[in-house]
Structure formats: C-alpha cells, structure tokens
Amino acid sequence: MQMRSRFRSDRRLTVRMTVTLFLLGLLYVAFVAALIVLLKSWVLVVVVAAGMLGAQYWFSDRVALFAMRGRVVEREEYPELHAVVDRLCAIADLPKPVVAVSELGMPNAFATGRSPDHAVVCVTTGLLRRLEPAELEGVLAHELSHVAHKDVAVITVASFLGVIAGLIVRFAFYSQVFGGGRRDQNTAAVFAAVMGVSAAVYALSFLMIRALSRYRELAADRAAAQLTGRPSALASALTKVSGDIARIPTKDLRTAQAFNAFYFTPALGAEPGAARLFSTHPSLEQRLDQLGRISAELGEAATPGRAG
C-alpha cells in the first residue's frame, strides 16, 4: 500500500470553518454595533474589542501554555517525543511546531497557534507515562492534523467572541455596582440590555463553536489514522486516555475544562451527564466506530506488525 505523504485535506471541514467564521463575523459586527449604541462610546468598544481579538490571535499559544502549566522542551530533555514529532512532520511535509510538555497528571494533549509556522504541540506528563510509542504517535498525528488543517487558528478566533461577551457582562456589572450617582433608571436599562445582548451572543457562539469542534475532532482522527496507517493505535490511545480521565475527580478537571475545545479528548468527570449534549468532542463510541471503518479500509488487520 502506498504511504500517504501528507495530511489529507478535508473539504467538508474547510466549508464548516468558512461558514462558522462568516456567521461569527456577522455576529461579531452586530455585537459591537449593539454595544456602541448601548454604551454610547464607540471608541471604547472598538479599541477594547480589537485589542482583545489581536491578543487572542497572536498570543493564544502562550496563554494556553501558561494556563496548562506547559513549558517548551528541547530535544535533549525529551528525545523520544521530539523524534516522533520530527518523523510525523517529515512524512506530512509540515513545519515542525514548538514542542512543549505540561506537568499535569491528566493524560491529554493539545495544539495551538495561529498558523503551521507558529504552532505549539503540547503533551502532558500523564499522557507520556500511559501511552505506548505507537499510541503516542497516533495522538501526535491527531494534534498535527489540527495544525495542518488550520482549524486550531479558526477555533481560537471563533472562541474569542464568547470570551469578549463574557467580559462585557463583567464590565457592565462592575460599572453598575461602582457607578455611584450615575445609577439611575436609564443606567439600569442599559445594563439589562448589555447583559441580554451579551448572553444571546455567548449562546449563539457557544453552539456554533461546539458544532465545528465536534466535526474537527473526527476530521483529525481520520487524518491521523490515514497518515500513520495505524487506526488501531489511535483507537487504543483514545480508549486508554478517556478511561483514565473519567477516573480523575471532577474538581481536579475544572481548570482544564476551559480548554476542552483544544484537547485530544475532553476533560470530563466520571459522570458528565447532560454535559455531553454540549460537548466539544464527539462521543468515544463515534470516534472508535470511525477508526474501525478506516482500519477495515486500510486492511490494517492483515498487516498488524507494520510500522507507522
């Protein structure tokens, strides 16, 4: 069988990313316009919104690493990890991203960055301790496919709108609390309107991001399985990581849950309940079913010993 030299493009993913960005762009313009009307200060709204969008785009990788206690590691410190990334990048004809490790015990991995030339792939020490080499290769191929498809940049920009909506709610709240003598009936009406607009914007962006995020995870699984030629290794990693995360107390996952959209598998507790309805990822069963079909298509069972 001929080895694929690049991550396979996914037109359906590209269409979904384009539509999501277009709809979020319209929502963003409407949001800013509504805030200008309500707050009567277009300079403040535009400057704050543009500044935060720029910061989100340019510094998202640093923010994610800081939040998840990740640090950049050199080849001398993690030679095997670097070797796997080097090999996958060579096969995929992809620029090598910055390699980082998080000291978290939770087994997981994520990719972030604004482009393939400015990307970071980070794995936790919990993941490194649990996975076999072939499983680790599958996870890293999954994360590199996010970089190759550029959906990391899209999800970063897409998540910005919900962030700023939440910040505007806080700004309006503190303005109301500390507004002193300006707290009259008109101020209360503006406060309520800002809260309502922000809540609506957050809800719409939340739903659009979840829909895109679930599909992009399936696309990354497909691309990784096709690149390595070993869907079963990725399936094994998914099963192992999901099972281990389910045993971690929910209170220990709360910080990580803010970054679920970027993770290899979501940081959900043992009983996620209704949270699955709004999950950033498809179910484990759905992902395993897809990998099983790809395994059959590649004839992997007939050549179980071949290397990725």
Side-chain angles (χ1 to χ4, degrees), residues 9-48:
S9 62
D10 192 313
R11 291 184 179 179
R12 288 180 294 176
L13 176 61
T14 301
V15 169
R16 281 171 168 79
M17 290 192 298
T18 303
V19 171
T20 299
L21 284 179
F22 176 74
L23 293 176
L24 284 171
L26 291 179
L27 188 60
Y28 182 74
V29 171
F31 183 45
V32 170
L35 291 178
I36 290 173
V37 171
L38 293 170
L39 299 178
K40 303 185 188 309
S41 177
W42 69 269
V43 174
L44 173 65
V45 173
V46 171
V47 168
V48 171

PDB file of all heavy atoms in Angstrom, residues 9-48:
ATOM      1  N   SER A   9      -6.478  16.553   2.821  1.00  0.00           N
ATOM      2  CA  SER A   9      -7.343  17.713   3.016  1.00  0.00           C
ATOM      3  C   SER A   9      -8.778  17.255   3.240  1.00  0.00           C
ATOM      4  O   SER A   9      -9.170  16.163   2.821  1.00  0.00           O
ATOM      5  CB  SER A   9      -7.275  18.651   1.811  1.00  0.00           C
ATOM      6  OG  SER A   9      -7.726  17.989   0.642  1.00  0.00           O
ATOM      7  N   ASP A  10      -9.551  18.081   3.906  1.00  0.00           N
ATOM      8  CA  ASP A  10     -10.934  17.746   4.221  1.00  0.00           C
ATOM      9  C   ASP A  10     -11.809  18.918   3.789  1.00  0.00           C
ATOM     10  O   ASP A  10     -11.895  19.940   4.475  1.00  0.00           O
ATOM     11  CB  ASP A  10     -11.067  17.485   5.725  1.00  0.00           C
ATOM     12  CG  ASP A  10     -12.403  16.854   6.091  1.00  0.00           C
ATOM     13  OD1 ASP A  10     -13.436  17.356   5.608  1.00  0.00           O
ATOM     14  OD2 ASP A  10     -12.417  15.881   6.866  1.00  0.00           O
ATOM     15  N   ARG A  11     -12.449  18.774   2.646  1.00  0.00           N
ATOM     16  CA  ARG A  11     -13.263  19.875   2.113  1.00  0.00           C
ATOM     17  C   ARG A  11     -14.440  20.200   3.019  1.00  0.00           C
ATOM     18  O   ARG A  11     -14.808  21.375   3.179  1.00  0.00           O
ATOM     19  CB  ARG A  11     -13.777  19.516   0.715  1.00  0.00           C
ATOM     20  CG  ARG A  11     -12.686  19.462  -0.348  1.00  0.00           C
ATOM     21  CD  ARG A  11     -13.286  19.202  -1.718  1.00  0.00           C
ATOM     22  NE  ARG A  11     -12.245  19.168  -2.750  1.00  0.00           N
ATOM     23  CZ  ARG A  11     -12.488  18.939  -4.027  1.00  0.00           C
ATOM     24  NH1 ARG A  11     -13.738  18.731  -4.435  1.00  0.00           N
ATOM     25  NH2 ARG A  11     -11.495  18.931  -4.897  1.00  0.00           N
ATOM     26  N   ARG A  12     -15.037  19.179   3.605  1.00  0.00           N
ATOM     27  CA  ARG A  12     -16.183  19.438   4.481  1.00  0.00           C
ATOM     28  C   ARG A  12     -15.762  20.232   5.714  1.00  0.00           C
ATOM     29  O   ARG A  12     -16.514  21.089   6.195  1.00  0.00           O
ATOM     30  CB  ARG A  12     -16.837  18.118   4.878  1.00  0.00           C
ATOM     31  CG  ARG A  12     -17.601  17.452   3.741  1.00  0.00           C
ATOM     32  CD  ARG A  12     -18.228  16.144   4.185  1.00  0.00           C
ATOM     33  NE  ARG A  12     -17.201  15.142   4.504  1.00  0.00           N
ATOM     34  CZ  ARG A  12     -17.462  13.936   4.987  1.00  0.00           C
ATOM     35  NH1 ARG A  12     -18.718  13.582   5.232  1.00  0.00           N
ATOM     36  NH2 ARG A  12     -16.496  13.080   5.230  1.00  0.00           N
ATOM     37  N   LEU A  13     -14.564  19.955   6.222  1.00  0.00           N
ATOM     38  CA  LEU A  13     -14.053  20.728   7.349  1.00  0.00           C
ATOM     39  C   LEU A  13     -13.808  22.174   6.926  1.00  0.00           C
ATOM     40  O   LEU A  13     -14.145  23.117   7.654  1.00  0.00           O
ATOM     41  CB  LEU A  13     -12.758  20.110   7.881  1.00  0.00           C
ATOM     42  CG  LEU A  13     -12.053  20.885   9.006  1.00  0.00           C
ATOM     43  CD1 LEU A  13     -12.955  20.994  10.230  1.00  0.00           C
ATOM     44  CD2 LEU A  13     -10.725  20.225   9.354  1.00  0.00           C
ATOM     45  N   THR A  14     -13.217  22.349   5.731  1.00  0.00           N
ATOM     46  CA  THR A  14     -12.951  23.705   5.234  1.00  0.00           C
ATOM     47  C   THR A  14     -14.242  24.494   5.076  1.00  0.00           C
ATOM     48  O   THR A  14     -14.315  25.675   5.458  1.00  0.00           O
ATOM     49  CB  THR A  14     -12.213  23.642   3.881  1.00  0.00           C
ATOM     50  OG1 THR A  14     -10.981  22.924   4.048  1.00  0.00           O
ATOM     51  CG2 THR A  14     -11.917  25.041   3.365  1.00  0.00           C
ATOM     52  N   VAL A  15     -15.271  23.849   4.534  1.00  0.00           N
ATOM     53  CA  VAL A  15     -16.565  24.522   4.366  1.00  0.00           C
ATOM     54  C   VAL A  15     -17.134  24.898   5.727  1.00  0.00           C
ATOM     55  O   VAL A  15     -17.633  26.017   5.920  1.00  0.00           O
ATOM     56  CB  VAL A  15     -17.543  23.616   3.594  1.00  0.00           C
ATOM     57  CG1 VAL A  15     -18.960  24.200   3.654  1.00  0.00           C
ATOM     58  CG2 VAL A  15     -17.098  23.464   2.153  1.00  0.00           C
ATOM     59  N   ARG A  16     -17.075  23.985   6.680  1.00  0.00           N
ATOM     60  CA  ARG A  16     -17.615  24.269   8.007  1.00  0.00           C
ATOM     61  C   ARG A  16     -16.857  25.408   8.682  1.00  0.00           C
ATOM     62  O   ARG A  16     -17.469  26.261   9.352  1.00  0.00           O
ATOM     63  CB  ARG A  16     -17.546  23.005   8.881  1.00  0.00           C
ATOM     64  CG  ARG A  16     -18.667  22.011   8.596  1.00  0.00           C
ATOM     65  CD  ARG A  16     -18.412  20.698   9.319  1.00  0.00           C
ATOM     66  NE  ARG A  16     -19.576  19.823   9.301  1.00  0.00           N
ATOM     67  CZ  ARG A  16     -19.952  19.083   8.281  1.00  0.00           C
ATOM     68  NH1 ARG A  16     -19.244  19.127   7.149  1.00  0.00           N
ATOM     69  NH2 ARG A  16     -21.025  18.319   8.349  1.00  0.00           N
ATOM     70  N   MET A  17     -15.540  25.435   8.536  1.00  0.00           N
ATOM     71  CA  MET A  17     -14.755  26.516   9.130  1.00  0.00           C
ATOM     72  C   MET A  17     -15.121  27.853   8.492  1.00  0.00           C
ATOM     73  O   MET A  17     -15.262  28.872   9.182  1.00  0.00           O
ATOM     74  CB  MET A  17     -13.262  26.240   8.980  1.00  0.00           C
ATOM     75  CG  MET A  17     -12.749  25.103   9.835  1.00  0.00           C
ATOM     76  SD  MET A  17     -10.937  25.006   9.904  1.00  0.00           S
ATOM     77  CE  MET A  17     -10.521  24.714   8.176  1.00  0.00           C
ATOM     78  N   THR A  18     -15.268  27.866   7.163  1.00  0.00           N
ATOM     79  CA  THR A  18     -15.607  29.100   6.457  1.00  0.00           C
ATOM     80  C   THR A  18     -16.967  29.623   6.873  1.00  0.00           C
ATOM     81  O   THR A  18     -17.135  30.815   7.165  1.00  0.00           O
ATOM     82  CB  THR A  18     -15.576  28.873   4.935  1.00  0.00           C
ATOM     83  OG1 THR A  18     -14.282  28.396   4.546  1.00  0.00           O
ATOM     84  CG2 THR A  18     -15.877  30.163   4.186  1.00  0.00           C
ATOM     85  N   VAL A  19     -17.953  28.732   6.915  1.00  0.00           N
ATOM     86  CA  VAL A  19     -19.310  29.137   7.306  1.00  0.00           C
ATOM     87  C   VAL A  19     -19.328  29.625   8.754  1.00  0.00           C
ATOM     88  O   VAL A  19     -19.963  30.649   9.076  1.00  0.00           O
ATOM     89  CB  VAL A  19     -20.296  27.969   7.115  1.00  0.00           C
ATOM     90  CG1 VAL A  19     -21.654  28.298   7.720  1.00  0.00           C
ATOM     91  CG2 VAL A  19     -20.442  27.641   5.636  1.00  0.00           C
ATOM     92  N   THR A  20     -18.631  28.912   9.638  1.00  0.00           N
ATOM     93  CA  THR A  20     -18.601  29.315  11.044  1.00  0.00           C
ATOM     94  C   THR A  20     -17.981  30.692  11.214  1.00  0.00           C
ATOM     95  O   THR A  20     -18.510  31.542  11.946  1.00  0.00           O
ATOM     96  CB  THR A  20     -17.823  28.281  11.881  1.00  0.00           C
ATOM     97  OG1 THR A  20     -18.469  27.009  11.785  1.00  0.00           O
ATOM     98  CG2 THR A  20     -17.764  28.704  13.346  1.00  0.00           C
ATOM     99  N   LEU A  21     -16.842  30.924  10.548  1.00  0.00           N
ATOM    100  CA  LEU A  21     -16.198  32.234  10.652  1.00  0.00           C
ATOM    101  C   LEU A  21     -17.065  33.340  10.071  1.00  0.00           C
ATOM    102  O   LEU A  21     -17.129  34.453  10.603  1.00  0.00           O
ATOM    103  CB  LEU A  21     -14.838  32.209   9.947  1.00  0.00           C
ATOM    104  CG  LEU A  21     -13.711  31.500  10.696  1.00  0.00           C
ATOM    105  CD1 LEU A  21     -12.430  31.536   9.864  1.00  0.00           C
ATOM    106  CD2 LEU A  21     -13.462  32.165  12.052  1.00  0.00           C
ATOM    107  N   PHE A  22     -17.761  33.040   8.956  1.00  0.00           N
ATOM    108  CA  PHE A  22     -18.636  34.043   8.349  1.00  0.00           C
ATOM    109  C   PHE A  22     -19.780  34.404   9.293  1.00  0.00           C
ATOM    110  O   PHE A  22     -20.062  35.587   9.525  1.00  0.00           O
ATOM    111  CB  PHE A  22     -19.195  33.516   7.025  1.00  0.00           C
ATOM    112  CG  PHE A  22     -20.176  34.442   6.366  1.00  0.00           C
ATOM    113  CD1 PHE A  22     -19.745  35.600   5.738  1.00  0.00           C
ATOM    114  CD2 PHE A  22     -21.534  34.155   6.387  1.00  0.00           C
ATOM    115  CE1 PHE A  22     -20.651  36.466   5.143  1.00  0.00           C
ATOM    116  CE2 PHE A  22     -22.451  35.008   5.790  1.00  0.00           C
ATOM    117  CZ  PHE A  22     -22.002  36.166   5.163  1.00  0.00           C
ATOM    118  N   LEU A  23     -20.442  33.394   9.851  1.00  0.00           N
ATOM    119  CA  LEU A  23     -21.561  33.649  10.752  1.00  0.00           C
ATOM    120  C   LEU A  23     -21.098  34.351  12.028  1.00  0.00           C
ATOM    121  O   LEU A  23     -21.760  35.277  12.524  1.00  0.00           O
ATOM    122  CB  LEU A  23     -22.262  32.338  11.101  1.00  0.00           C
ATOM    123  CG  LEU A  23     -22.984  31.639   9.943  1.00  0.00           C
ATOM    124  CD1 LEU A  23     -23.557  30.302  10.403  1.00  0.00           C
ATOM    125  CD2 LEU A  23     -24.099  32.530   9.386  1.00  0.00           C
ATOM    126  N   LEU A  24     -19.949  33.918  12.554  1.00  0.00           N
ATOM    127  CA  LEU A  24     -19.430  34.571  13.748  1.00  0.00           C
ATOM    128  C   LEU A  24     -18.997  36.004  13.445  1.00  0.00           C
ATOM    129  O   LEU A  24     -19.107  36.885  14.304  1.00  0.00           O
ATOM    130  CB  LEU A  24     -18.263  33.772  14.325  1.00  0.00           C
ATOM    131  CG  LEU A  24     -18.642  32.495  15.076  1.00  0.00           C
ATOM    132  CD1 LEU A  24     -17.401  31.679  15.399  1.00  0.00           C
ATOM    133  CD2 LEU A  24     -19.395  32.828  16.362  1.00  0.00           C
ATOM    134  N   GLY A  25     -18.498  36.230  12.227  1.00  0.00           N
ATOM    135  CA  GLY A  25     -18.135  37.587  11.833  1.00  0.00           C
ATOM    136  C   GLY A  25     -19.343  38.499  11.823  1.00  0.00           C
ATOM    137  O   GLY A  25     -19.293  39.635  12.321  1.00  0.00           O
ATOM    138  N   LEU A  26     -20.453  38.015  11.251  1.00  0.00           N
ATOM    139  CA  LEU A  26     -21.691  38.798  11.258  1.00  0.00           C
ATOM    140  C   LEU A  26     -22.164  39.045  12.687  1.00  0.00           C
ATOM    141  O   LEU A  26     -22.592  40.159  13.040  1.00  0.00           O
ATOM    142  CB  LEU A  26     -22.780  38.055  10.479  1.00  0.00           C
ATOM    143  CG  LEU A  26     -22.603  37.937   8.964  1.00  0.00           C
ATOM    144  CD1 LEU A  26     -23.769  37.150   8.373  1.00  0.00           C
ATOM    145  CD2 LEU A  26     -22.517  39.313   8.317  1.00  0.00           C
ATOM    146  N   LEU A  27     -22.076  37.997  13.509  1.00  0.00           N
ATOM    147  CA  LEU A  27     -22.492  38.127  14.895  1.00  0.00           C
ATOM    148  C   LEU A  27     -21.604  39.123  15.638  1.00  0.00           C
ATOM    149  O   LEU A  27     -22.075  39.923  16.447  1.00  0.00           O
ATOM    150  CB  LEU A  27     -22.448  36.757  15.575  1.00  0.00           C
ATOM    151  CG  LEU A  27     -23.037  36.636  16.983  1.00  0.00           C
ATOM    152  CD1 LEU A  27     -24.512  37.013  16.974  1.00  0.00           C
ATOM    153  CD2 LEU A  27     -22.845  35.217  17.503  1.00  0.00           C
ATOM    154  N   TYR A  28     -20.321  39.085  15.327  1.00  0.00           N
ATOM    155  CA  TYR A  28     -19.366  39.984  15.972  1.00  0.00           C
ATOM    156  C   TYR A  28     -19.657  41.447  15.618  1.00  0.00           C
ATOM    157  O   TYR A  28     -19.673  42.327  16.486  1.00  0.00           O
ATOM    158  CB  TYR A  28     -17.946  39.613  15.534  1.00  0.00           C
ATOM    159  CG  TYR A  28     -16.861  40.454  16.170  1.00  0.00           C
ATOM    160  CD1 TYR A  28     -16.514  40.266  17.496  1.00  0.00           C
ATOM    161  CD2 TYR A  28     -16.174  41.413  15.432  1.00  0.00           C
ATOM    162  CE1 TYR A  28     -15.519  41.027  18.084  1.00  0.00           C
ATOM    163  CE2 TYR A  28     -15.183  42.169  16.017  1.00  0.00           C
ATOM    164  CZ  TYR A  28     -14.860  41.975  17.336  1.00  0.00           C
ATOM    165  OH  TYR A  28     -13.889  42.728  17.918  1.00  0.00           O
ATOM    166  N   VAL A  29     -19.907  41.716  14.344  1.00  0.00           N
ATOM    167  CA  VAL A  29     -20.228  43.073  13.904  1.00  0.00           C
ATOM    168  C   VAL A  29     -21.508  43.562  14.574  1.00  0.00           C
ATOM    169  O   VAL A  29     -21.581  44.699  15.065  1.00  0.00           O
ATOM    170  CB  VAL A  29     -20.359  43.132  12.371  1.00  0.00           C
ATOM    171  CG1 VAL A  29     -20.912  44.483  11.931  1.00  0.00           C
ATOM    172  CG2 VAL A  29     -19.009  42.886  11.718  1.00  0.00           C
ATOM    173  N   ALA A  30     -22.523  42.698  14.604  1.00  0.00           N
ATOM    174  CA  ALA A  30     -23.788  43.070  15.243  1.00  0.00           C
ATOM    175  C   ALA A  30     -23.586  43.314  16.738  1.00  0.00           C
ATOM    176  O   ALA A  30     -24.175  44.245  17.314  1.00  0.00           O
ATOM    177  CB  ALA A  30     -24.820  41.971  15.023  1.00  0.00           C
ATOM    178  N   PHE A  31     -22.755  42.494  17.354  1.00  0.00           N
ATOM    179  CA  PHE A  31     -22.470  42.636  18.785  1.00  0.00           C
ATOM    180  C   PHE A  31     -21.806  43.971  19.090  1.00  0.00           C
ATOM    181  O   PHE A  31     -22.210  44.709  19.987  1.00  0.00           O
ATOM    182  CB  PHE A  31     -21.580  41.466  19.218  1.00  0.00           C
ATOM    183  CG  PHE A  31     -21.267  41.441  20.688  1.00  0.00           C
ATOM    184  CD1 PHE A  31     -22.248  41.657  21.634  1.00  0.00           C
ATOM    185  CD2 PHE A  31     -19.978  41.172  21.110  1.00  0.00           C
ATOM    186  CE1 PHE A  31     -21.953  41.608  22.992  1.00  0.00           C
ATOM    187  CE2 PHE A  31     -19.674  41.119  22.462  1.00  0.00           C
ATOM    188  CZ  PHE A  31     -20.661  41.338  23.402  1.00  0.00           C
ATOM    189  N   VAL A  32     -20.768  44.292  18.319  1.00  0.00           N
ATOM    190  CA  VAL A  32     -20.054  45.560  18.522  1.00  0.00           C
ATOM    191  C   VAL A  32     -20.995  46.743  18.266  1.00  0.00           C
ATOM    192  O   VAL A  32     -20.996  47.719  19.028  1.00  0.00           O
ATOM    193  CB  VAL A  32     -18.817  45.640  17.605  1.00  0.00           C
ATOM    194  CG1 VAL A  32     -18.215  47.042  17.636  1.00  0.00           C
ATOM    195  CG2 VAL A  32     -17.772  44.613  18.035  1.00  0.00           C
ATOM    196  N   ALA A  33     -21.795  46.669  17.206  1.00  0.00           N
ATOM    197  CA  ALA A  33     -22.733  47.754  16.898  1.00  0.00           C
ATOM    198  C   ALA A  33     -23.732  47.952  18.032  1.00  0.00           C
ATOM    199  O   ALA A  33     -24.029  49.097  18.418  1.00  0.00           O
ATOM    200  CB  ALA A  33     -23.464  47.455  15.594  1.00  0.00           C
ATOM    201  N   ALA A  34     -24.241  46.838  18.576  1.00  0.00           N
ATOM    202  CA  ALA A  34     -25.201  46.939  19.676  1.00  0.00           C
ATOM    203  C   ALA A  34     -24.558  47.558  20.912  1.00  0.00           C
ATOM    204  O   ALA A  34     -25.169  48.396  21.592  1.00  0.00           O
ATOM    205  CB  ALA A  34     -25.755  45.550  20.011  1.00  0.00           C
ATOM    206  N   LEU A  35     -23.320  47.188  21.190  1.00  0.00           N
ATOM    207  CA  LEU A  35     -22.634  47.752  22.356  1.00  0.00           C
ATOM    208  C   LEU A  35     -22.357  49.239  22.178  1.00  0.00           C
ATOM    209  O   LEU A  35     -22.439  50.018  23.138  1.00  0.00           O
ATOM    210  CB  LEU A  35     -21.321  47.001  22.602  1.00  0.00           C
ATOM    211  CG  LEU A  35     -21.457  45.556  23.090  1.00  0.00           C
ATOM    212  CD1 LEU A  35     -20.088  44.915  23.242  1.00  0.00           C
ATOM    213  CD2 LEU A  35     -22.209  45.511  24.416  1.00  0.00           C
ATOM    214  N   ILE A  36     -22.033  49.641  20.951  1.00  0.00           N
ATOM    215  CA  ILE A  36     -21.800  51.064  20.693  1.00  0.00           C
ATOM    216  C   ILE A  36     -23.071  51.864  20.960  1.00  0.00           C
ATOM    217  O   ILE A  36     -23.043  52.926  21.589  1.00  0.00           O
ATOM    218  CB  ILE A  36     -21.319  51.275  19.244  1.00  0.00           C
ATOM    219  CG1 ILE A  36     -19.890  50.722  19.079  1.00  0.00           C
ATOM    220  CG2 ILE A  36     -21.342  52.770  18.874  1.00  0.00           C
ATOM    221  CD1 ILE A  36     -19.405  50.745  17.646  1.00  0.00           C
ATOM    222  N   VAL A  37     -24.201  51.343  20.505  1.00  0.00           N
ATOM    223  CA  VAL A  37     -25.482  52.022  20.716  1.00  0.00           C
ATOM    224  C   VAL A  37     -25.822  52.072  22.202  1.00  0.00           C
ATOM    225  O   VAL A  37     -26.255  53.105  22.736  1.00  0.00           O
ATOM    226  CB  VAL A  37     -26.611  51.314  19.940  1.00  0.00           C
ATOM    227  CG1 VAL A  37     -27.972  51.879  20.337  1.00  0.00           C
ATOM    228  CG2 VAL A  37     -26.388  51.474  18.447  1.00  0.00           C
ATOM    229  N   LEU A  38     -25.604  50.959  22.897  1.00  0.00           N
ATOM    230  CA  LEU A  38     -25.993  50.874  24.300  1.00  0.00           C
ATOM    231  C   LEU A  38     -25.055  51.654  25.221  1.00  0.00           C
ATOM    232  O   LEU A  38     -25.496  52.342  26.143  1.00  0.00           O
ATOM    233  CB  LEU A  38     -26.056  49.410  24.736  1.00  0.00           C
ATOM    234  CG  LEU A  38     -27.162  48.564  24.099  1.00  0.00           C
ATOM    235  CD1 LEU A  38     -26.955  47.088  24.430  1.00  0.00           C
ATOM    236  CD2 LEU A  38     -28.530  49.025  24.576  1.00  0.00           C
ATOM    237  N   LEU A  39     -23.758  51.543  24.981  1.00  0.00           N
ATOM    238  CA  LEU A  39     -22.776  52.183  25.861  1.00  0.00           C
ATOM    239  C   LEU A  39     -22.414  53.599  25.426  1.00  0.00           C
ATOM    240  O   LEU A  39     -21.741  54.318  26.159  1.00  0.00           O
ATOM    241  CB  LEU A  39     -21.511  51.321  25.938  1.00  0.00           C
ATOM    242  CG  LEU A  39     -21.706  49.906  26.500  1.00  0.00           C
ATOM    243  CD1 LEU A  39     -20.395  49.130  26.481  1.00  0.00           C
ATOM    244  CD2 LEU A  39     -22.274  49.954  27.912  1.00  0.00           C
ATOM    245  N   LYS A  40     -22.816  53.968  24.207  1.00  0.00           N
ATOM    246  CA  LYS A  40     -22.588  55.313  23.673  1.00  0.00           C
ATOM    247  C   LYS A  40     -21.116  55.720  23.725  1.00  0.00           C
ATOM    248  O   LYS A  40     -20.765  56.849  24.039  1.00  0.00           O
ATOM    249  CB  LYS A  40     -23.437  56.340  24.451  1.00  0.00           C
ATOM    250  CG  LYS A  40     -24.916  56.048  24.433  1.00  0.00           C
ATOM    251  CD  LYS A  40     -25.699  57.140  25.112  1.00  0.00           C
ATOM    252  CE  LYS A  40     -27.170  56.755  25.269  1.00  0.00           C
ATOM    253  NZ  LYS A  40     -27.800  56.299  24.043  1.00  0.00           N
ATOM    254  N   SER A  41     -20.252  54.763  23.423  1.00  0.00           N
ATOM    255  CA  SER A  41     -18.815  55.046  23.388  1.00  0.00           C
ATOM    256  C   SER A  41     -18.170  54.095  22.381  1.00  0.00           C
ATOM    257  O   SER A  41     -17.627  53.056  22.738  1.00  0.00           O
ATOM    258  CB  SER A  41     -18.196  54.857  24.777  1.00  0.00           C
ATOM    259  OG  SER A  41     -16.797  55.055  24.731  1.00  0.00           O
ATOM    260  N   TRP A  42     -18.205  54.478  21.091  1.00  0.00           N
ATOM    261  CA  TRP A  42     -17.693  53.580  20.065  1.00  0.00           C
ATOM    262  C   TRP A  42     -16.186  53.410  20.176  1.00  0.00           C
ATOM    263  O   TRP A  42     -15.643  52.357  19.873  1.00  0.00           O
ATOM    264  CB  TRP A  42     -18.078  54.096  18.679  1.00  0.00           C
ATOM    265  CG  TRP A  42     -17.395  55.364  18.264  1.00  0.00           C
ATOM    266  CD1 TRP A  42     -17.818  56.638  18.450  1.00  0.00           C
ATOM    267  CD2 TRP A  42     -16.137  55.453  17.585  1.00  0.00           C
ATOM    268  NE1 TRP A  42     -16.912  57.533  17.940  1.00  0.00           N
ATOM    269  CE2 TRP A  42     -15.868  56.829  17.392  1.00  0.00           C
ATOM    270  CE3 TRP A  42     -15.205  54.517  17.128  1.00  0.00           C
ATOM    271  CZ2 TRP A  42     -14.707  57.283  16.768  1.00  0.00           C
ATOM    272  CZ3 TRP A  42     -14.061  54.958  16.506  1.00  0.00           C
ATOM    273  CH2 TRP A  42     -13.812  56.326  16.333  1.00  0.00           C
ATOM    274  N   VAL A  43     -15.497  54.438  20.647  1.00  0.00           N
ATOM    275  CA  VAL A  43     -14.035  54.340  20.786  1.00  0.00           C
ATOM    276  C   VAL A  43     -13.672  53.253  21.783  1.00  0.00           C
ATOM    277  O   VAL A  43     -12.826  52.391  21.527  1.00  0.00           O
ATOM    278  CB  VAL A  43     -13.444  55.694  21.223  1.00  0.00           C
ATOM    279  CG1 VAL A  43     -11.945  55.541  21.496  1.00  0.00           C
ATOM    280  CG2 VAL A  43     -13.684  56.753  20.160  1.00  0.00           C
ATOM    281  N   LEU A  44     -14.325  53.277  22.943  1.00  0.00           N
ATOM    282  CA  LEU A  44     -14.041  52.275  23.972  1.00  0.00           C
ATOM    283  C   LEU A  44     -14.322  50.870  23.468  1.00  0.00           C
ATOM    284  O   LEU A  44     -13.485  49.963  23.597  1.00  0.00           O
ATOM    285  CB  LEU A  44     -14.883  52.562  25.216  1.00  0.00           C
ATOM    286  CG  LEU A  44     -14.828  51.504  26.332  1.00  0.00           C
ATOM    287  CD1 LEU A  44     -13.423  51.437  26.905  1.00  0.00           C
ATOM    288  CD2 LEU A  44     -15.850  51.820  27.420  1.00  0.00           C
ATOM    289  N   VAL A  45     -15.505  50.684  22.868  1.00  0.00           N
ATOM    290  CA  VAL A  45     -15.898  49.353  22.408  1.00  0.00           C
ATOM    291  C   VAL A  45     -14.957  48.833  21.328  1.00  0.00           C
ATOM    292  O   VAL A  45     -14.465  47.702  21.394  1.00  0.00           O
ATOM    293  CB  VAL A  45     -17.353  49.372  21.895  1.00  0.00           C
ATOM    294  CG1 VAL A  45     -17.710  48.029  21.263  1.00  0.00           C
ATOM    295  CG2 VAL A  45     -18.314  49.699  23.026  1.00  0.00           C
ATOM    296  N   VAL A  46     -14.681  49.655  20.312  1.00  0.00           N
ATOM    297  CA  VAL A  46     -13.849  49.213  19.195  1.00  0.00           C
ATOM    298  C   VAL A  46     -12.412  48.946  19.638  1.00  0.00           C
ATOM    299  O   VAL A  46     -11.808  47.930  19.264  1.00  0.00           O
ATOM    300  CB  VAL A  46     -13.871  50.258  18.061  1.00  0.00           C
ATOM    301  CG1 VAL A  46     -12.847  49.906  16.993  1.00  0.00           C
ATOM    302  CG2 VAL A  46     -15.266  50.342  17.448  1.00  0.00           C
ATOM    303  N   VAL A  47     -11.861  49.836  20.452  1.00  0.00           N
ATOM    304  CA  VAL A  47     -10.470  49.664  20.903  1.00  0.00           C
ATOM    305  C   VAL A  47     -10.322  48.399  21.748  1.00  0.00           C
ATOM    306  O   VAL A  47      -9.399  47.597  21.543  1.00  0.00           O
ATOM    307  CB  VAL A  47      -9.994  50.901  21.694  1.00  0.00           C
ATOM    308  CG1 VAL A  47      -8.669  50.608  22.400  1.00  0.00           C
ATOM    309  CG2 VAL A  47      -9.834  52.092  20.760  1.00  0.00           C
ATOM    310  N   VAL A  48     -11.239  48.202  22.698  1.00  0.00           N
ATOM    311  CA  VAL A  48     -11.158  47.025  23.563  1.00  0.00           C
ATOM    312  C   VAL A  48     -11.362  45.743  22.757  1.00  0.00           C
ATOM    313  O   VAL A  48     -10.610  44.769  22.903  1.00  0.00           O
ATOM    314  CB  VAL A  48     -12.197  47.119  24.701  1.00  0.00           C
ATOM    315  CG1 VAL A  48     -12.263  45.806  25.473  1.00  0.00           C
ATOM    316  CG2 VAL A  48     -11.841  48.256  25.642  1.00  0.00           C
TER     317      VAL A  48
END
